[in-house]
Amino acid sequence: MIQAIGLTSNPRKEFPPAANDVSFEARAGRITALLGAPGAGKTTVVRLMLELQQGRGITHFRGRPLHRIAHPSREVGVLLGDVPGHPARTVRGHLRMLCAAAGVPVRRADEMLEAVGIVSLREERLGTLSRGMDRRLGLACVLLADPHTLVLDDPAGGLSTGESAWLHGMLRAHAAQGGTVLLTTADPKEAARIADRVVTLEQGRLVADQEAAEFARTRLRPRVAVRSPHAARLAVLLARQARTSQRSLEVVRESGNRLSVYGGTCAEIGEIAFRHGIVVHQLADEIGDMGPGADLAPATGPRDRILAEPVCVTDPHGTALTARSEEPPSSSGPSGHFATDAPAPTAEPRSAPDPGPSSDAGEPVTSGPTLSFGQPQLPEAQARTLLELSPAGPSDGGLQAATAPSRPRAPHPAGTLTAHTLDVLPPLPPSISVRPAPSPLRPLRYEIRRATGTGTGFRTGAVVLAVSVVTAVVLARIGHTPQPRLLAAWPRELPLPPAALGAGLLGALASGDEFRHPALAADRGTVPRRLGLLAAKLLVSSTAALVLAVLTLGCDAEVLRLVYGRQLAQVPADWFPLMTGWIGLVVGCAWAGVLAAGVFRSTTAGLAAVVAVPLLVVPVVHRLVNGQSVRTAAGLPVRLRETLLPRWPFGGERHLEAALEMMSQPVGGALTLSLAVLLCAYLLTTLRGRFR
């Protein structure tokens, strides 16, 4: 159950707030539609509910705000826009990465691929998916952790009729098992067709909160679509008959020979046409709109397109005929076979189209062949179950849907869902048992799959090795370069060696990709700042930097040996402190990239922070330590060594001495200072986000 109370966004300069004191409820076991024209504030309300945007008000998900839930992905599944994933990642790799983040078994990814019907696309890249397949993958990501509540922003936008029917069936199946579904839409017909309750917004304010049947009766006016070659004459006769009988009737002339009649019935219009000898090509009950001049956005597609509702057709002799159609027939007249003298069932605005009248046994009753104009035939597994909310006492508040799989989540409030057809709902994946306690390996598994899921890291390492080898060969040919710098391919003219820059780029990508392609977040730019995730990124990036540093030295030494002989590939006598300093420099650059990209939310900013250490920080530190003053810090490394080294037993002073020697150098000291500042900044932003 969702309880939104007083949601108000911050005002935008001279403009009013996009959402102003919006309060509503979305109950378990039901689909709630947030309806409004583009710009009405639907997305703002959703972002306020999910705490993605600053404002006032509070939202409770089963009695708790989102920031009080330990594992939000297990409680609330969110889909805003396209799937937020790296375009070069595979579909299966993306789901497996999210499995590691949510703490669910890795087999859950394959189950979700089967549930949404994209098993054949498991090796496709995210950037190559169509709109419909992207929506299927998004629903798989939403349902991955088996959440109770689904929040979706315009989930059917841009989808075909078949894809929309499949998506609505999946959402209905989730609600039928006791889950809560909240979606936004700008189409009032869609809201009346699939939702149990409709919350209407206009200019950021709540204007109506109604049951779907009440919404269809009061705000979604039913109408009768008429096609006749004598449409103008029929409109005059209908208006004259309305004045005579003192009834409220509104006739709207559409394009061509089509009329939309508000306030009339098929029988009345057919009788008038018959008495005056007017040929009628189509006479259909439609789920209409809010009438001419409505503020809500119209449905996509041509205006004369109708839903799959029972159609009543009258020929010139007055015989009442029934058929079902999605597209109206051509103006030349109806074609096909009709079931004559069949009663037209009452339309259910918040349910799927009724396939026809049913008998007591639940089997559809047909008295002859039926007419279908372009209606897509969906598989039985994707058919919607026609549900209605019937009043029940407190003891009958359970969910009763004989055709839906039984996986109770929560009792249905104040009513019972009863199935009227035997069409089964789309099958959802089975329930899972999520590990109850947080494990320190979860963020580590996630980070390993994130880093190895794309080829960016491997390509970066290959480029760094190639540049290092070429630089080492060129420096050896020029001469005047010490052997340690020669092996590291670090000329004096460059602030950092290629390996350090590559490690910094890998570290910046570790945090920058989370903001560019936020797989862990509901929307772009919101990444959970957890210390466990930071520790995993630091560990994986330092491992990659260590491997890169060792490979760089090995490749440079081997190429120098092949080109110039063994003399340039000899190991220096003081190799241990040099190796310690080299590894510390590369790992420090990787950590600086991780922290800077996490603070500034950008890969470019992370790499810029790494380059700024030798260019900006080193001169400042050197000037502060060795500048002119009454007292200088000369001999600081020696005094630190004398103070700290005797306290370390078992030969540990060698490692500490190497670390202190590296820190005493200008680049090492500046890098240490930069890491300390970036770590403090990251912790401050983390605490600030938690306080908010």
Side-chain angles (χ1 to χ4, degrees):
M1 179 177 179
I2 303 176
Q3 294 175 306
I5 305 171
L7 298 179
T8 305
S9 62
N10 294 334
R12 304 160 294 173
K13 297 182 179 180
E14 69 275 7
F15 299 99
N20 192 355
D21 195 20
V22 177
S23 301
F24 63 93
E25 289 185 357
R27 297 186 176 274
R30 311 183 70 186
I31 297 179
T32 303
L34 201 59
L35 175 66
K42 306 183 299 296
T43 303
T44 302
V45 169
V46 171
R47 291 178 60 85
L48 288 172
M49 292 171 55
L50 300 174
E51 301 177 2
L52 301 177
Q53 182 173 332
Q54 295 187 12
R56 298 187 299 276
I58 191 171
T59 303
H60 287 164
F61 297 90
R62 292 206 290 182
R64 294 177 297 172
L66 194 62
H67 63 272
R68 297 280 184 177
I69 301 176
H71 302 282
S73 62
R74 304 178 193 172
E75 178 66 30
V76 184
V78 180
L79 180 60
L80 306 181
D82 298 336
V83 175
H86 198 290
R89 201 178 305 278
T90 63
V91 171
R92 189 168 183 261
H94 183 74
L95 289 177
R96 288 169 66 92
M97 181 183 66
L98 295 182
C99 285
V104 301
V106 71
R107 66 176 182 276
R108 181 71 172 176
D110 297 325
E111 294 176 357
M112 295 310 306
L113 290 176
E114 294 180 1
V116 300
I118 55 175
V119 178
S120 60
L121 303 178
R122 57 182 177 272
E123 299 302 328
E124 294 291 329
R125 307 291 177 178
L126 298 187
T128 62
L129 297 180
S130 63
R131 176 69 172 176
M133 297 302 102
D134 182 88
R135 283 298 176 179
R136 287 176 179 259
L137 177 60
L139 191 60
C141 297
V142 167
L143 296 174
L144 190 66
D146 196 24
H148 175 271
T149 303
L150 300 184
V151 179
L152 307 101
D153 187 16
D154 194 16
L159 296 184
S160 63
T161 303
E163 291 288 347
S164 298
W166 174 87
L167 178 63
H168 296 158
M170 290 291 289
L171 298 181
R172 174 59 63 184
H174 182 82
Q177 297 182 21
T180 305
V181 179
L182 174 67
L183 58 89
T184 67
T185 180
D187 187 358
K189 295 181 181 179
E190 180 185 13
R193 185 168 60 249
I194 69 171
D196 300 307
R197 192 168 188 85
V198 181
V199 179
T200 307
L201 297 179
E202 288 183 7
Q203 298 182 356
R205 291 184 175 274
L206 181 68
V207 296
D209 187 354
Q210 305 165 294
E211 293 291 331
E214 181 71 11
F215 168 79
R217 186 180 66 83
T218 59
R219 299 185 64 83
L220 192 64
R221 297 172 57 187
R223 66 188 177 197
V224 178
V226 184
R227 283 187 183 275
S228 172
H230 309 287
R233 181 186 170 197
L234 182 59
V236 173
L237 292 174
L238 291 175
R240 184 183 304 169
Q241 179 67 23
R243 287 194 298 268
T244 302
S245 59
Q246 296 182 352
R247 290 183 53 192
S248 175
L249 187 71
E250 184 176 4
V251 182
V252 179
R253 181 72 179 271
E254 304 286 353
S255 59
N257 57 357
R258 174 185 167 96
L259 298 176
S260 292
V261 182
Y262 296 89
T265 63
C266 287
E268 294 173 350
I269 299 173
E271 291 176 0
I272 294 175
F274 173 71
R275 286 199 305 267
H276 294 83
I278 298 178
V279 177
V280 176
H281 291 163
Q282 181 195 22
L283 196 58
D285 280 324
E286 292 184 355
I287 295 180
D289 49 24
M290 294 181 63
D295 293 332
L296 294 178
T300 57
R303 189 173 180 182
D304 59 354
R305 180 180 177 90
I306 67 174
L307 304 175
E309 293 296 326
V311 177
C312 177
V313 181
T314 306
D315 65 2
H317 301 288
T319 304
L321 309 173
T322 61
R324 296 180 52 78
S325 71
E326 183 183 5
E327 295 283 356
S330 60
S331 59
S332 60
S335 61
H337 301 279
F338 298 87
T340 59
D341 299 331
T346 305
E348 291 275 353
R350 61 181 176 83
S351 304
D354 193 351
S358 58
S359 63
D360 296 337
E363 296 293 338
V365 177
T366 57
S367 57
T370 58
L371 176 67
S372 177
F373 298 102
Q375 183 177 358
Q377 301 298 324
L378 298 179
E380 183 180 1
Q382 296 182 2
R384 287 271 313 275
T385 300
L386 184 61
L387 303 171
E388 71 173 3
L389 185 67
S390 61
S395 61
D396 298 331
L399 186 66
Q400 298 177 358
T403 60
S406 61
R407 180 171 54 151
R409 298 175 185 265
H412 192 279
T416 302
L417 292 176
T418 307
H420 282 270
T421 70
L422 294 181
D423 297 332
V424 297
L425 294 170
L428 290 177
S431 300
I432 56 175
S433 56
V434 184
R435 300 183 182 94
S439 169
L441 295 180
R442 282 188 197 167
L444 184 58
R445 293 193 190 104
Y446 165 79
E447 182 60 23
I448 291 175
R449 288 174 180 162
R450 186 209 61 80
T452 58
T454 60
T456 304
F458 301 103
R459 288 192 294 266
T460 301
V463 170
V464 167
L465 292 179
V467 172
S468 298
V469 167
V470 173
T471 304
V473 172
V474 172
L475 289 178
R477 183 177 180 85
I478 295 175
H480 309 293
T481 301
Q483 188 179 12
R485 281 184 169 266
L486 190 63
L487 293 176
W490 188 1
R492 297 183 182 274
E493 293 77 14
L494 293 181
L496 288 173
L501 291 175
L505 177 59
L506 292 178
L509 288 172
S511 291
D513 279 352
E514 296 291 359
F515 297 97
R516 188 178 179 185
H517 311 290
L520 292 181
D523 195 19
R524 188 176 302 274
T526 56
V527 177
R529 294 179 175 272
R530 302 192 182 113
L531 295 182
L533 182 62
L534 174 62
K537 290 185 178 299
L538 293 178
L539 181 58
V540 173
S541 62
S542 60
T543 303
L546 179 61
V547 173
L548 188 60
V550 174
L551 289 178
T552 300
L553 292 180
C555 293
D556 293 347
E558 185 64 21
V559 172
L560 290 176
R561 186 187 66 82
L562 292 176
V563 177
Y564 298 106
R566 296 181 177 274
Q567 183 178 359
L568 294 179
Q570 293 180 354
V571 178
D574 53 347
W575 65 271
F576 183 78
L578 291 176
M579 191 66 179
T580 304
W582 169 247
I583 293 176
L585 175 64
V586 177
V587 173
C589 289
W591 285 11
V594 171
L595 294 172
V599 171
F600 299 108
R601 297 172 174 252
S602 171
T603 302
T604 305
L607 185 59
V610 175
V611 178
V613 170
L615 294 180
L616 301 177
V617 182
V618 168
V620 173
V621 174
H622 185 72
R623 183 174 300 176
L624 290 177
V625 174
N626 299 326
Q628 295 181 359
S629 61
V630 178
R631 292 183 177 88
T632 64
L636 177 61
V638 178
R639 292 191 293 273
L640 287 176
R641 187 181 300 111
E642 293 176 352
T643 303
L644 298 177
L645 288 184
R647 301 181 182 179
W648 288 81
F650 308 109
E653 65 275 1
R654 292 182 56 199
H655 304 281
L656 185 59
E657 183 178 2
L660 290 176
E661 185 174 353
M662 184 193 69
M663 294 174 58
S664 64
Q665 297 176 0
V667 176
L671 187 59
T672 304
L673 180 62
S674 301
L675 287 175
V677 173
L678 290 174
L679 182 59
C680 292
Y682 191 94
L683 293 177
L684 287 177
T685 53
T686 302
L687 294 176
R688 183 182 63 179
R690 290 184 178 181
F691 284 135
R692 283 182 179 178

